[in-house]
mmCIF file of all heavy atoms in Angstrom:
data_model
loop_
_atom_site.group_PDB
_atom_site.id
_atom_site.type_symbol
_atom_site.label_atom_id
_atom_site.label_comp_id
_atom_site.label_asym_id
_atom_site.label_seq_id
_atom_site.Cartn_x
_atom_site.Cartn_y
_atom_site.Cartn_z
ATOM 1 N N ASP E 117 -4.695 9.264 30.604
ATOM 2 C CA ASP E 117 -3.617 9.444 31.588
ATOM 3 C C ASP E 117 -2.530 8.382 31.452
ATOM 4 O O ASP E 117 -1.372 8.631 31.768
ATOM 5 C CB ASP E 117 -4.173 9.395 33.011
ATOM 6 C CG ASP E 117 -4.989 10.627 33.353
ATOM 7 O OD1 ASP E 117 -4.848 11.650 32.649
ATOM 8 O OD2 ASP E 117 -5.767 10.565 34.321
ATOM 9 N N SER E 118 -2.888 7.186 30.980
ATOM 10 C CA SER E 118 -1.921 6.094 30.959
ATOM 11 C C SER E 118 -1.717 5.452 29.591
ATOM 12 O O SER E 118 -0.907 4.538 29.461
ATOM 13 C CB SER E 118 -2.341 5.017 31.957
ATOM 14 O OG SER E 118 -3.608 4.498 31.593
ATOM 15 N N THR E 119 -2.438 5.896 28.570
ATOM 16 C CA THR E 119 -2.264 5.342 27.226
ATOM 17 C C THR E 119 -2.217 6.463 26.195
ATOM 18 O O THR E 119 -2.737 7.545 26.428
ATOM 19 C CB THR E 119 -3.412 4.376 26.849
ATOM 20 O OG1 THR E 119 -4.634 5.100 26.801
ATOM 21 C CG2 THR E 119 -3.501 3.205 27.818
ATOM 22 N N ALA E 120 -1.607 6.156 25.069
ATOM 23 C CA ALA E 120 -1.547 7.124 23.975
ATOM 24 C C ALA E 120 -1.367 6.369 22.665
ATOM 25 O O ALA E 120 -0.865 5.238 22.652
ATOM 26 C CB ALA E 120 -0.398 8.107 24.172
ATOM 27 N N THR E 121 -1.769 6.989 21.594
ATOM 28 C CA THR E 121 -1.497 6.486 20.250
ATOM 29 C C THR E 121 -0.840 7.632 19.496
ATOM 30 O O THR E 121 -1.337 8.755 19.505
ATOM 31 C CB THR E 121 -2.792 6.055 19.539
ATOM 32 O OG1 THR E 121 -3.417 5.029 20.312
ATOM 33 C CG2 THR E 121 -2.502 5.532 18.143
ATOM 34 N N CYS E 122 0.299 7.333 18.879
ATOM 35 C CA CYS E 122 1.042 8.354 18.131
ATOM 36 C C CYS E 122 1.262 7.892 16.704
ATOM 37 O O CYS E 122 1.497 6.710 16.447
ATOM 38 C CB CYS E 122 2.408 8.610 18.773
ATOM 39 S SG CYS E 122 2.327 9.492 20.331
ATOM 40 N N VAL E 123 1.198 8.843 15.796
ATOM 41 C CA VAL E 123 1.517 8.602 14.391
ATOM 42 C C VAL E 123 2.776 9.398 14.082
ATOM 43 O O VAL E 123 2.838 10.601 14.341
ATOM 44 C CB VAL E 123 0.360 9.026 13.465
ATOM 45 C CG1 VAL E 123 0.758 8.829 12.009
ATOM 46 C CG2 VAL E 123 -0.892 8.253 13.794
ATOM 47 N N CYS E 124 3.767 8.709 13.548
ATOM 48 C CA CYS E 124 5.049 9.333 13.216
ATOM 49 C C CYS E 124 5.231 9.317 11.701
ATOM 50 O O CYS E 124 5.122 8.268 11.058
ATOM 51 C CB CYS E 124 6.185 8.575 13.893
ATOM 52 S SG CYS E 124 7.807 9.326 13.646
ATOM 53 N N TYR E 125 5.472 10.486 11.142
ATOM 54 C CA TYR E 125 5.756 10.642 9.723
ATOM 55 C C TYR E 125 7.252 10.893 9.582
ATOM 56 O O TYR E 125 7.817 11.744 10.276
ATOM 57 C CB TYR E 125 4.974 11.816 9.139
ATOM 58 C CG TYR E 125 3.475 11.619 9.226
ATOM 59 C CD1 TYR E 125 2.762 12.072 10.330
ATOM 60 C CD2 TYR E 125 2.795 10.958 8.215
ATOM 61 C CE1 TYR E 125 1.389 11.878 10.421
ATOM 62 C CE2 TYR E 125 1.421 10.761 8.296
ATOM 63 C CZ TYR E 125 0.728 11.223 9.399
ATOM 64 O OH TYR E 125 -0.618 11.024 9.488
ATOM 65 N N PHE E 126 7.891 10.152 8.696
ATOM 66 C CA PHE E 126 9.339 10.271 8.557
ATOM 67 C C PHE E 126 9.772 9.903 7.152
ATOM 68 O O PHE E 126 8.977 9.402 6.358
ATOM 69 C CB PHE E 126 10.054 9.393 9.596
ATOM 70 C CG PHE E 126 9.743 7.917 9.494
ATOM 71 C CD1 PHE E 126 10.628 7.057 8.868
ATOM 72 C CD2 PHE E 126 8.578 7.389 10.034
ATOM 73 C CE1 PHE E 126 10.352 5.692 8.781
ATOM 74 C CE2 PHE E 126 8.288 6.037 9.951
ATOM 75 C CZ PHE E 126 9.179 5.187 9.317
ATOM 76 N N LYS E 127 11.028 10.166 6.878
ATOM 77 C CA LYS E 127 11.637 9.763 5.608
ATOM 78 C C LYS E 127 12.718 8.755 5.940
ATOM 79 O O LYS E 127 13.393 8.863 6.966
ATOM 80 C CB LYS E 127 12.220 10.968 4.885
ATOM 81 C CG LYS E 127 11.158 11.917 4.367
ATOM 82 C CD LYS E 127 11.789 13.062 3.594
ATOM 83 C CE LYS E 127 10.755 14.000 3.040
ATOM 84 N NZ LYS E 127 10.022 14.738 4.039
ATOM 85 N N ILE E 128 12.884 7.787 5.058
ATOM 86 C CA ILE E 128 13.880 6.742 5.270
ATOM 87 C C ILE E 128 14.664 6.531 3.977
ATOM 88 O O ILE E 128 14.111 6.628 2.883
ATOM 89 C CB ILE E 128 13.204 5.432 5.748
ATOM 90 C CG1 ILE E 128 14.232 4.397 6.164
ATOM 91 C CG2 ILE E 128 12.238 4.906 4.720
ATOM 92 C CD1 ILE E 128 13.641 3.244 6.954
ATOM 93 N N LYS E 129 15.938 6.285 4.149
ATOM 94 C CA LYS E 129 16.822 6.072 3.002
ATOM 95 C C LYS E 129 17.740 4.909 3.345
ATOM 96 O O LYS E 129 18.339 4.882 4.423
ATOM 97 C CB LYS E 129 17.638 7.334 2.731
ATOM 98 C CG LYS E 129 18.587 7.220 1.575
ATOM 99 C CD LYS E 129 19.369 8.505 1.390
ATOM 100 C CE LYS E 129 20.337 8.333 0.260
ATOM 101 N NZ LYS E 129 21.306 9.387 0.173
ATOM 102 N N SER E 130 17.865 3.950 2.439
ATOM 103 C CA SER E 130 18.791 2.846 2.691
ATOM 104 C C SER E 130 20.217 3.363 2.564
ATOM 105 O O SER E 130 20.437 4.491 2.129
ATOM 106 C CB SER E 130 18.546 1.690 1.732
ATOM 107 O OG SER E 130 19.039 2.010 0.455
ATOM 108 N N GLY E 131 21.167 2.560 2.928
ATOM 109 C CA GLY E 131 22.561 2.988 2.908
ATOM 110 C C GLY E 131 23.159 3.131 1.520
ATOM 111 O O GLY E 131 24.256 3.656 1.367
ATOM 112 N N ALA E 132 22.437 2.689 0.489
ATOM 113 C CA ALA E 132 22.963 2.768 -0.871
ATOM 114 C C ALA E 132 23.091 4.229 -1.305
ATOM 115 O O ALA E 132 22.242 5.055 -0.988
ATOM 116 C CB ALA E 132 22.051 2.013 -1.830
ATOM 117 N N GLU E 133 24.137 4.529 -2.038
ATOM 118 C CA GLU E 133 24.407 5.912 -2.445
ATOM 119 C C GLU E 133 23.312 6.495 -3.327
ATOM 120 O O GLU E 133 22.936 7.643 -3.192
ATOM 121 C CB GLU E 133 25.747 5.987 -3.187
ATOM 122 C CG GLU E 133 26.935 6.000 -2.269
ATOM 123 C CD GLU E 133 28.220 6.214 -3.040
ATOM 124 O OE1 GLU E 133 28.221 6.972 -4.024
ATOM 125 O OE2 GLU E 133 29.232 5.627 -2.632
ATOM 126 N N ASN E 134 22.809 5.720 -4.274
ATOM 127 C CA ASN E 134 21.835 6.239 -5.234
ATOM 128 C C ASN E 134 20.399 6.140 -4.739
ATOM 129 O O ASN E 134 19.482 6.514 -5.460
ATOM 130 C CB ASN E 134 21.966 5.489 -6.570
ATOM 131 C CG ASN E 134 23.325 5.704 -7.191
ATOM 132 O OD1 ASN E 134 23.972 6.713 -6.940
ATOM 133 N ND2 ASN E 134 23.771 4.757 -7.985
ATOM 134 N N ASP E 135 20.191 5.632 -3.585
ATOM 135 C CA ASP E 135 18.854 5.455 -3.055
ATOM 136 C C ASP E 135 18.228 6.800 -2.712
ATOM 137 O O ASP E 135 18.902 7.716 -2.248
ATOM 138 C CB ASP E 135 18.901 4.583 -1.801
ATOM 139 C CG ASP E 135 17.795 3.562 -1.780
ATOM 140 O OD1 ASP E 135 17.133 3.388 -2.802
ATOM 141 O OD2 ASP E 135 17.607 2.947 -0.727
ATOM 142 N N GLU E 136 16.941 6.929 -2.943
ATOM 143 C CA GLU E 136 16.234 8.162 -2.644
ATOM 144 C C GLU E 136 15.482 8.029 -1.329
ATOM 145 O O GLU E 136 15.152 6.930 -0.898
ATOM 146 C CB GLU E 136 15.261 8.485 -3.777
ATOM 147 C CG GLU E 136 15.968 8.645 -5.109
ATOM 148 C CD GLU E 136 15.268 9.606 -6.019
ATOM 149 O OE1 GLU E 136 14.270 10.211 -5.599
ATOM 150 O OE2 GLU E 136 15.736 9.748 -7.143
ATOM 151 N N TRP E 137 15.184 9.160 -0.724
ATOM 152 C CA TRP E 137 14.392 9.180 0.498
ATOM 153 C C TRP E 137 12.971 8.745 0.183
ATOM 154 O O TRP E 137 12.385 9.201 -0.790
ATOM 155 C CB TRP E 137 14.382 10.580 1.105
ATOM 156 C CG TRP E 137 15.700 10.981 1.691
ATOM 157 C CD1 TRP E 137 16.690 11.671 1.063
ATOM 158 C CD2 TRP E 137 16.171 10.724 3.016
ATOM 159 N NE1 TRP E 137 17.756 11.853 1.914
ATOM 160 C CE2 TRP E 137 17.451 11.282 3.119
ATOM 161 C CE3 TRP E 137 15.625 10.076 4.119
ATOM 162 C CZ2 TRP E 137 18.211 11.211 4.292
ATOM 163 C CZ3 TRP E 137 16.376 10.005 5.291
ATOM 164 C CH2 TRP E 137 17.653 10.566 5.365
ATOM 165 N N GLN E 138 12.426 7.878 1.008
ATOM 166 C CA GLN E 138 11.049 7.409 0.874
ATOM 167 C C GLN E 138 10.240 7.914 2.065
ATOM 168 O O GLN E 138 10.698 7.829 3.208
ATOM 169 C CB GLN E 138 10.998 5.877 0.851
ATOM 170 C CG GLN E 138 11.788 5.236 -0.263
ATOM 171 C CD GLN E 138 11.191 5.518 -1.621
ATOM 172 O OE1 GLN E 138 9.984 5.471 -1.790
ATOM 173 N NE2 GLN E 138 12.044 5.829 -2.587
ATOM 174 N N SER E 139 9.059 8.422 1.821
ATOM 175 C CA SER E 139 8.184 8.858 2.911
ATOM 176 C C SER E 139 7.560 7.631 3.562
ATOM 177 O O SER E 139 7.219 6.659 2.876
ATOM 178 C CB SER E 139 7.083 9.771 2.383
ATOM 179 O OG SER E 139 7.649 10.971 1.914
ATOM 180 N N ALA E 140 7.402 7.695 4.867
ATOM 181 C CA ALA E 140 6.835 6.572 5.604
ATOM 182 C C ALA E 140 6.005 7.091 6.776
ATOM 183 O O ALA E 140 6.138 8.253 7.191
ATOM 184 C CB ALA E 140 7.944 5.658 6.104
ATOM 185 N N ARG E 141 5.168 6.216 7.288
ATOM 186 C CA ARG E 141 4.285 6.538 8.404
ATOM 187 C C ARG E 141 4.159 5.293 9.266
ATOM 188 O O ARG E 141 3.971 4.198 8.741
ATOM 189 C CB ARG E 141 2.919 6.930 7.864
ATOM 190 C CG ARG E 141 1.835 7.107 8.878
ATOM 191 C CD ARG E 141 0.469 7.142 8.179
ATOM 192 N NE ARG E 141 -0.621 7.358 9.082
ATOM 193 C CZ ARG E 141 -1.214 6.413 9.802
ATOM 194 N NH1 ARG E 141 -0.798 5.172 9.739
ATOM 195 N NH2 ARG E 141 -2.209 6.709 10.602
ATOM 196 N N GLN E 142 4.281 5.451 10.576
ATOM 197 C CA GLN E 142 4.045 4.347 11.492
ATOM 198 C C GLN E 142 3.191 4.843 12.648
ATOM 199 O O GLN E 142 3.394 5.955 13.141
ATOM 200 C CB GLN E 142 5.364 3.773 12.031
ATOM 201 C CG GLN E 142 6.167 3.050 10.982
ATOM 202 C CD GLN E 142 7.476 2.492 11.512
ATOM 203 O OE1 GLN E 142 7.937 2.829 12.587
ATOM 204 N NE2 GLN E 142 8.080 1.621 10.722
ATOM 205 N N GLU E 143 2.263 3.997 13.061
ATOM 206 C CA GLU E 143 1.398 4.306 14.193
ATOM 207 C C GLU E 143 1.719 3.334 15.319
ATOM 208 O O GLU E 143 1.829 2.127 15.094
ATOM 209 C CB GLU E 143 -0.071 4.159 13.783
ATOM 210 C CG GLU E 143 -1.040 4.532 14.867
ATOM 211 C CD GLU E 143 -2.478 4.551 14.380
ATOM 212 O OE1 GLU E 143 -2.711 4.987 13.238
ATOM 213 O OE2 GLU E 143 -3.349 4.124 15.149
ATOM 214 N N TRP E 144 1.892 3.869 16.524
ATOM 215 C CA TRP E 144 2.263 3.044 17.673
ATOM 216 C C TRP E 144 1.378 3.373 18.868
ATOM 217 O O TRP E 144 1.071 4.541 19.126
ATOM 218 C CB TRP E 144 3.731 3.291 18.059
ATOM 219 C CG TRP E 144 4.691 2.844 17.009
ATOM 220 C CD1 TRP E 144 5.326 3.615 16.086
ATOM 221 C CD2 TRP E 144 5.118 1.504 16.756
ATOM 222 N NE1 TRP E 144 6.125 2.843 15.281
ATOM 223 C CE2 TRP E 144 6.017 1.540 15.672
ATOM 224 C CE3 TRP E 144 4.831 0.273 17.338
ATOM 225 C CZ2 TRP E 144 6.634 0.400 15.164
ATOM 226 C CZ3 TRP E 144 5.446 -0.873 16.836
ATOM 227 C CH2 TRP E 144 6.337 -0.800 15.754
ATOM 228 N N ASP E 145 0.998 2.331 19.593
ATOM 229 C CA ASP E 145 0.303 2.494 20.868
ATOM 230 C C ASP E 145 1.351 2.560 21.965
ATOM 231 O O ASP E 145 2.368 1.853 21.908
ATOM 232 C CB ASP E 145 -0.639 1.318 21.130
ATOM 233 C CG ASP E 145 -1.811 1.298 20.161
ATOM 234 O OD1 ASP E 145 -2.308 2.388 19.818
ATOM 235 O OD2 ASP E 145 -2.227 0.197 19.762
ATOM 236 N N LEU E 146 1.094 3.391 22.959
ATOM 237 C CA LEU E 146 1.995 3.535 24.105
ATOM 238 C C LEU E 146 1.205 3.392 25.393
ATOM 239 O O LEU E 146 -0.008 3.614 25.418
ATOM 240 C CB LEU E 146 2.686 4.905 24.097
ATOM 241 C CG LEU E 146 3.667 5.180 22.968
ATOM 242 C CD1 LEU E 146 2.969 5.791 21.788
ATOM 243 C CD2 LEU E 146 4.777 6.079 23.443
ATOM 244 N N ALA E 147 1.914 3.046 26.448
ATOM 245 C CA ALA E 147 1.313 2.981 27.782
ATOM 246 C C ALA E 147 2.358 3.412 28.787
ATOM 247 O O ALA E 147 3.568 3.344 28.536
ATOM 248 C CB ALA E 147 0.823 1.571 28.097
#
Side-chain angles (χ1 to χ4, degrees):
D117 289 342
S118 61
T119 64
T121 301
C122 288
V123 177
C124 184
Y125 298 91
F126 60 100
K127 291 183 179 67
I128 188 166
K129 180 181 178 192
S130 75
E133 280 186 36
N134 297 334
D135 223 11
E136 301 210 4
W137 289 93
Q138 301 292 318
S139 294
R141 172 194 182 277
Q142 291 180 346
E143 183 173 322
W144 294 100
D145 292 323
L146 293 90

